[in-house]
Amino acid sequence: MSAALPTIEYWFDFGSNYSYLSTLRIEQAARHAGVGVQWRPFLLGPVFRELGWNTSPFVLQKEKGDYTWQDMARQCRKYGLPWTRPSRFPRTAVLATRVALAWAEAAWVGGFCRLMMHLNFVEDRDIDSAETVSEVLAAMDLPVADILVRAQSGENRMRLREQTASARALGIFGAPTFFVGSEMFWGNDRLEDALAACAGQAARV
């Protein structure tokens, strides 16, 4: 990411189906807009619990859930993305989130996030295991052991708790969420609006 580029903050959760759409689209869309991406992985579970929900509202509300799965199939057709409704939803991915947080500035983080999302929402695989995360890192020809040591450090575990608390403090209630400065945009269908706002803000400076 070039320091000269205006940047958008991308807050996402690996278990979020709409984050799947945005994760697969954001880097290409951002390049087209001339915008950089700051990856902000966090855990939706604690946010939901603070809102009084013990799981995703797509599970708690049958009608909303039924609509969501129809919409996901439709949106994936729209974007030309593969899609399999996961047999377990939402899936947790604590280790993957720790990796993405610890290495959020690395050039490979976007590719890692896309592969993890693919396993969840295309291959319908468990993504909350060291074996799965290691498999993805190895496939990317990355130093697995070094990455996992840093991701699992006490310091990074605390960072993830703080990151998730920050999400709540910012008023985040779902994922994906994008920030351009203090302006919040929620939902995959607001990605282009957020990128346009970011590029426009930079042009006015």
Side-chain angles (χ1 to χ4, degrees):
M1 182 178 67
S2 170
L5 290 178
T7 59
I8 183 174
E9 291 186 14
Y10 174 42
W11 293 77
F12 66 99
D13 181 294
F14 283 106
S16 159
N17 52 295
Y18 286 110
S19 290
Y20 162 67
L21 299 176
S22 290
T23 297
L24 267 65
R25 300 193 311 115
I26 192 168
E27 285 195 319
Q28 182 176 356
R31 281 193 297 270
H32 182 74
V35 170
V37 179
Q38 294 179 333
W39 296 82
R40 296 287 188 262
F42 75 108
L43 299 176
L44 262 177
V47 173
F48 284 162
R49 286 193 290 274
E50 283 200 29
L51 293 170
W53 306 330
N54 61 9
T55 188
S56 167
F58 300 152
V59 175
L60 293 172
Q61 301 172 36
K62 180 182 183 300
E63 293 80 4
K64 183 176 287 188
D66 290 345
Y67 170 82
T68 295
W69 300 127
Q70 294 176 26
D71 188 54
M72 281 299 302
R74 181 169 56 218
Q75 293 299 303
C76 286
R77 288 194 300 270
K78 172 183 174 180
Y79 297 121
L81 298 175
W83 164 251
T84 299
R85 177 177 170 175
S87 55
R88 179 183 173 191
F89 178 84
R91 282 192 172 107
T92 55
V94 175
L95 179 56
T97 308
R98 288 174 179 158
V99 168
L101 177 61
W103 299 89
E105 302 302 321
W108 52 262
V109 70
F112 170 77
C113 292
R114 287 190 294 273
L115 286 172
M116 292 303 303
M117 290 289 194
H118 183 90
L119 291 182
N120 191 7
F121 293 107
V122 180
E123 297 188 22
D124 191 24
R125 288 180 53 186
D126 172 33
I127 57 172
D128 197 25
S129 70
E131 291 77 13
T132 302
V133 173
S134 297
E135 175 187 326
V136 168
L137 293 171
M140 297 178 71
D141 199 25
L142 294 168
V144 177
D146 291 345
I147 289 171
L148 293 185
V149 165
R150 179 169 163 184
Q152 293 283 55
S153 68
E155 178 184 5
N156 194 57
R157 289 168 183 256
M158 178 59 69
R159 281 188 64 204
L160 180 54
R161 289 192 286 271
E162 292 171 349
Q163 180 99 320
T164 300
S166 294
R168 190 70 190 105
L170 286 168
I172 291 176
F173 52 85
T177 296
F178 315 96
F179 275 91
V180 178
S182 61
E183 188 174 5
M184 183 171 76
F185 298 79
W186 171 59
N188 171 69
D189 58 349
R190 294 297 184 264
L191 171 57
E192 282 75 17
D193 290 347
L195 291 171
C198 186
Q201 187 180 89
R204 291 191 296 271
V205 174

Short mmCIF file of all heavy atoms in Angstrom, two decimals, residues 13-16 88 91-97 115-121 124-130 132-133 136:
data_model
loop_
_atom_site.label_atom_id
_atom_site.label_comp_id
_atom_site.label_asym_id
_atom_site.label_seq_id
_atom_site.Cartn_x
_atom_site.Cartn_y
_atom_site.Cartn_z
N ASP A 13 -15.18 -9.73 9.42
CA ASP A 13 -15.13 -10.95 10.22
C ASP A 13 -15.15 -12.13 9.26
O ASP A 13 -15.94 -12.14 8.31
CB ASP A 13 -16.34 -10.99 11.17
CG ASP A 13 -16.37 -12.22 12.06
OD1 ASP A 13 -16.54 -13.33 11.52
OD2 ASP A 13 -16.26 -12.08 13.28
N PHE A 14 -14.31 -13.12 9.51
CA PHE A 14 -14.21 -14.27 8.60
C PHE A 14 -15.49 -15.11 8.57
O PHE A 14 -15.69 -15.88 7.63
CB PHE A 14 -13.03 -15.15 8.99
CG PHE A 14 -11.70 -14.61 8.57
CD1 PHE A 14 -10.84 -14.05 9.50
CD2 PHE A 14 -11.30 -14.64 7.24
CE1 PHE A 14 -9.60 -13.55 9.12
CE2 PHE A 14 -10.07 -14.14 6.84
CZ PHE A 14 -9.22 -13.58 7.79
N GLY A 15 -16.33 -15.00 9.57
CA GLY A 15 -17.57 -15.76 9.58
C GLY A 15 -18.73 -15.04 8.93
O GLY A 15 -19.82 -15.59 8.82
N SER A 16 -18.50 -13.81 8.51
CA SER A 16 -19.56 -12.97 7.93
C SER A 16 -19.71 -13.22 6.44
O SER A 16 -18.77 -13.03 5.68
CB SER A 16 -19.23 -11.49 8.18
OG SER A 16 -19.92 -10.64 7.28
N ARG A 88 -22.32 -24.90 8.53
CA ARG A 88 -22.28 -24.34 9.88
C ARG A 88 -22.13 -22.83 9.77
O ARG A 88 -21.21 -22.34 9.12
CB ARG A 88 -21.10 -24.92 10.66
CG ARG A 88 -20.97 -24.36 12.08
CD ARG A 88 -19.75 -24.93 12.77
NE ARG A 88 -19.51 -24.28 14.05
CZ ARG A 88 -18.42 -24.43 14.78
NH1 ARG A 88 -17.45 -25.23 14.33
NH2 ARG A 88 -18.27 -23.81 15.92
N ARG A 91 -19.36 -19.47 11.37
CA ARG A 91 -18.16 -20.17 11.81
C ARG A 91 -17.22 -19.19 12.51
O ARG A 91 -17.05 -18.07 12.05
CB ARG A 91 -17.42 -20.80 10.63
CG ARG A 91 -18.03 -22.09 10.13
CD ARG A 91 -17.09 -22.81 9.18
NE ARG A 91 -17.60 -24.13 8.86
CZ ARG A 91 -18.13 -24.46 7.69
NH1 ARG A 91 -18.20 -23.56 6.73
NH2 ARG A 91 -18.56 -25.69 7.47
N THR A 92 -16.60 -19.65 13.58
CA THR A 92 -15.58 -18.84 14.23
C THR A 92 -14.24 -19.06 13.52
O THR A 92 -14.02 -20.08 12.88
CB THR A 92 -15.44 -19.23 15.71
OG1 THR A 92 -15.19 -20.64 15.80
CG2 THR A 92 -16.69 -18.88 16.48
N ALA A 93 -13.37 -18.06 13.66
CA ALA A 93 -12.05 -18.14 13.01
C ALA A 93 -11.08 -17.29 13.80
O ALA A 93 -10.49 -16.34 13.27
CB ALA A 93 -12.16 -17.66 11.56
N VAL A 94 -10.90 -17.64 15.06
CA VAL A 94 -10.10 -16.79 15.94
C VAL A 94 -8.64 -16.74 15.49
O VAL A 94 -8.04 -15.66 15.40
CB VAL A 94 -10.20 -17.28 17.40
CG1 VAL A 94 -9.27 -16.47 18.30
CG2 VAL A 94 -11.64 -17.17 17.90
N LEU A 95 -8.05 -17.89 15.17
CA LEU A 95 -6.65 -17.90 14.77
C LEU A 95 -6.45 -17.14 13.47
O LEU A 95 -5.50 -16.35 13.33
CB LEU A 95 -6.12 -19.32 14.65
CG LEU A 95 -4.66 -19.45 14.20
CD1 LEU A 95 -3.73 -18.67 15.13
CD2 LEU A 95 -4.25 -20.92 14.14
N ALA A 96 -7.31 -17.36 12.50
CA ALA A 96 -7.20 -16.64 11.23
C ALA A 96 -7.29 -15.14 11.46
O ALA A 96 -6.58 -14.35 10.82
CB ALA A 96 -8.28 -17.10 10.26
N THR A 97 -8.16 -14.74 12.37
CA THR A 97 -8.31 -13.31 12.68
C THR A 97 -7.05 -12.78 13.34
O THR A 97 -6.60 -11.65 13.04
CB THR A 97 -9.53 -13.09 13.59
OG1 THR A 97 -10.68 -13.72 13.01
CG2 THR A 97 -9.81 -11.60 13.76
N LEU A 115 -8.33 -16.47 0.67
CA LEU A 115 -8.27 -17.93 0.73
C LEU A 115 -9.06 -18.48 1.92
O LEU A 115 -9.76 -19.50 1.80
CB LEU A 115 -6.81 -18.39 0.81
CG LEU A 115 -6.02 -18.29 -0.49
CD1 LEU A 115 -4.54 -18.60 -0.23
CD2 LEU A 115 -6.58 -19.22 -1.56
N MET A 116 -8.97 -17.81 3.06
CA MET A 116 -9.74 -18.26 4.22
C MET A 116 -11.24 -18.14 3.95
O MET A 116 -12.03 -19.04 4.29
CB MET A 116 -9.36 -17.45 5.45
CG MET A 116 -7.95 -17.67 5.97
SD MET A 116 -7.53 -19.39 6.38
CE MET A 116 -8.80 -19.79 7.59
N MET A 117 -11.65 -17.05 3.33
CA MET A 117 -13.06 -16.89 2.99
C MET A 117 -13.51 -17.96 1.99
O MET A 117 -14.63 -18.49 2.09
CB MET A 117 -13.30 -15.50 2.40
CG MET A 117 -13.18 -14.36 3.39
SD MET A 117 -14.57 -14.34 4.56
CE MET A 117 -14.37 -12.68 5.26
N HIS A 118 -12.64 -18.28 1.04
CA HIS A 118 -12.97 -19.31 0.05
C HIS A 118 -13.22 -20.66 0.74
O HIS A 118 -14.17 -21.37 0.38
CB HIS A 118 -11.83 -19.43 -0.96
CG HIS A 118 -12.10 -20.42 -2.06
ND1 HIS A 118 -12.72 -20.09 -3.24
CD2 HIS A 118 -11.84 -21.77 -2.13
CE1 HIS A 118 -12.82 -21.17 -3.99
NE2 HIS A 118 -12.30 -22.20 -3.35
N LEU A 119 -12.38 -21.00 1.70
CA LEU A 119 -12.58 -22.26 2.41
C LEU A 119 -13.92 -22.29 3.11
O LEU A 119 -14.60 -23.33 3.14
CB LEU A 119 -11.45 -22.47 3.43
CG LEU A 119 -10.06 -22.75 2.87
CD1 LEU A 119 -9.08 -22.96 4.02
CD2 LEU A 119 -10.05 -23.95 1.93
N ASN A 120 -14.32 -21.17 3.70
CA ASN A 120 -15.58 -21.12 4.45
C ASN A 120 -16.79 -21.12 3.54
O ASN A 120 -17.72 -21.91 3.72
CB ASN A 120 -15.59 -19.87 5.34
CG ASN A 120 -16.71 -19.87 6.36
OD1 ASN A 120 -17.43 -20.84 6.52
ND2 ASN A 120 -16.86 -18.75 7.05
N PHE A 121 -16.79 -20.24 2.54
CA PHE A 121 -18.01 -19.98 1.78
C PHE A 121 -18.04 -20.62 0.40
O PHE A 121 -19.00 -20.42 -0.34
CB PHE A 121 -18.23 -18.47 1.67
CG PHE A 121 -18.54 -17.82 2.99
CD1 PHE A 121 -17.60 -17.04 3.63
CD2 PHE A 121 -19.76 -18.02 3.61
CE1 PHE A 121 -17.86 -16.44 4.86
CE2 PHE A 121 -20.05 -17.44 4.83
CZ PHE A 121 -19.10 -16.65 5.46
N ASP A 124 -16.85 -24.96 2.14
CA ASP A 124 -17.61 -25.35 3.33
C ASP A 124 -16.75 -26.12 4.33
O ASP A 124 -17.12 -27.16 4.85
CB ASP A 124 -18.84 -26.19 2.93
CG ASP A 124 -19.80 -26.40 4.10
OD1 ASP A 124 -19.80 -25.58 5.05
OD2 ASP A 124 -20.56 -27.39 4.06
N ARG A 125 -15.57 -25.56 4.62
CA ARG A 125 -14.64 -26.22 5.53
C ARG A 125 -14.52 -25.47 6.84
O ARG A 125 -14.73 -24.25 6.91
CB ARG A 125 -13.26 -26.32 4.88
CG ARG A 125 -13.18 -27.33 3.75
CD ARG A 125 -11.79 -27.39 3.15
NE ARG A 125 -10.75 -27.59 4.17
CZ ARG A 125 -9.45 -27.56 3.91
NH1 ARG A 125 -9.03 -27.29 2.68
NH2 ARG A 125 -8.57 -27.76 4.88
N ASP A 126 -14.15 -26.20 7.87
CA ASP A 126 -13.84 -25.59 9.16
C ASP A 126 -12.63 -24.69 8.99
O ASP A 126 -11.60 -25.08 8.43
CB ASP A 126 -13.53 -26.69 10.18
CG ASP A 126 -13.02 -26.13 11.50
OD1 ASP A 126 -13.44 -25.03 11.88
OD2 ASP A 126 -12.18 -26.80 12.14
N ILE A 127 -12.73 -23.45 9.45
CA ILE A 127 -11.61 -22.52 9.30
C ILE A 127 -11.03 -22.11 10.65
O ILE A 127 -10.14 -21.27 10.70
CB ILE A 127 -12.03 -21.26 8.51
CG1 ILE A 127 -13.22 -20.55 9.18
CG2 ILE A 127 -12.35 -21.61 7.06
CD1 ILE A 127 -13.54 -19.19 8.57
N ASP A 128 -11.50 -22.73 11.72
CA ASP A 128 -11.04 -22.34 13.05
C ASP A 128 -10.09 -23.38 13.62
O ASP A 128 -10.28 -23.89 14.72
CB ASP A 128 -12.24 -22.14 13.99
CG ASP A 128 -11.85 -21.36 15.24
OD1 ASP A 128 -10.87 -20.60 15.17
OD2 ASP A 128 -12.54 -21.49 16.27
N SER A 129 -9.05 -23.71 12.85
CA SER A 129 -8.07 -24.67 13.34
C SER A 129 -6.68 -24.27 12.86
O SER A 129 -6.51 -23.65 11.80
CB SER A 129 -8.39 -26.09 12.83
OG SER A 129 -8.14 -26.18 11.44
N ALA A 130 -5.69 -24.64 13.65
CA ALA A 130 -4.30 -24.35 13.27
C ALA A 130 -3.93 -25.09 11.99
O ALA A 130 -3.15 -24.58 11.17
CB ALA A 130 -3.36 -24.74 14.41
N THR A 132 -5.84 -25.79 9.38
CA THR A 132 -6.37 -25.10 8.20
C THR A 132 -5.60 -23.82 7.91
O THR A 132 -5.23 -23.54 6.77
CB THR A 132 -7.86 -24.78 8.40
OG1 THR A 132 -8.57 -26.00 8.63
CG2 THR A 132 -8.44 -24.10 7.17
N VAL A 133 -5.33 -23.04 8.96
CA VAL A 133 -4.59 -21.80 8.78
C VAL A 133 -3.18 -22.10 8.26
O VAL A 133 -2.68 -21.43 7.35
CB VAL A 133 -4.54 -21.00 10.09
CG1 VAL A 133 -3.61 -19.79 9.95
CG2 VAL A 133 -5.94 -20.54 10.49
N VAL A 136 -3.20 -22.92 4.55
CA VAL A 136 -3.33 -21.74 3.70
C VAL A 136 -2.00 -21.00 3.61
O VAL A 136 -1.54 -20.61 2.53
CB VAL A 136 -4.44 -20.81 4.22
CG1 VAL A 136 -4.40 -19.45 3.53
CG2 VAL A 136 -5.80 -21.46 4.02
#
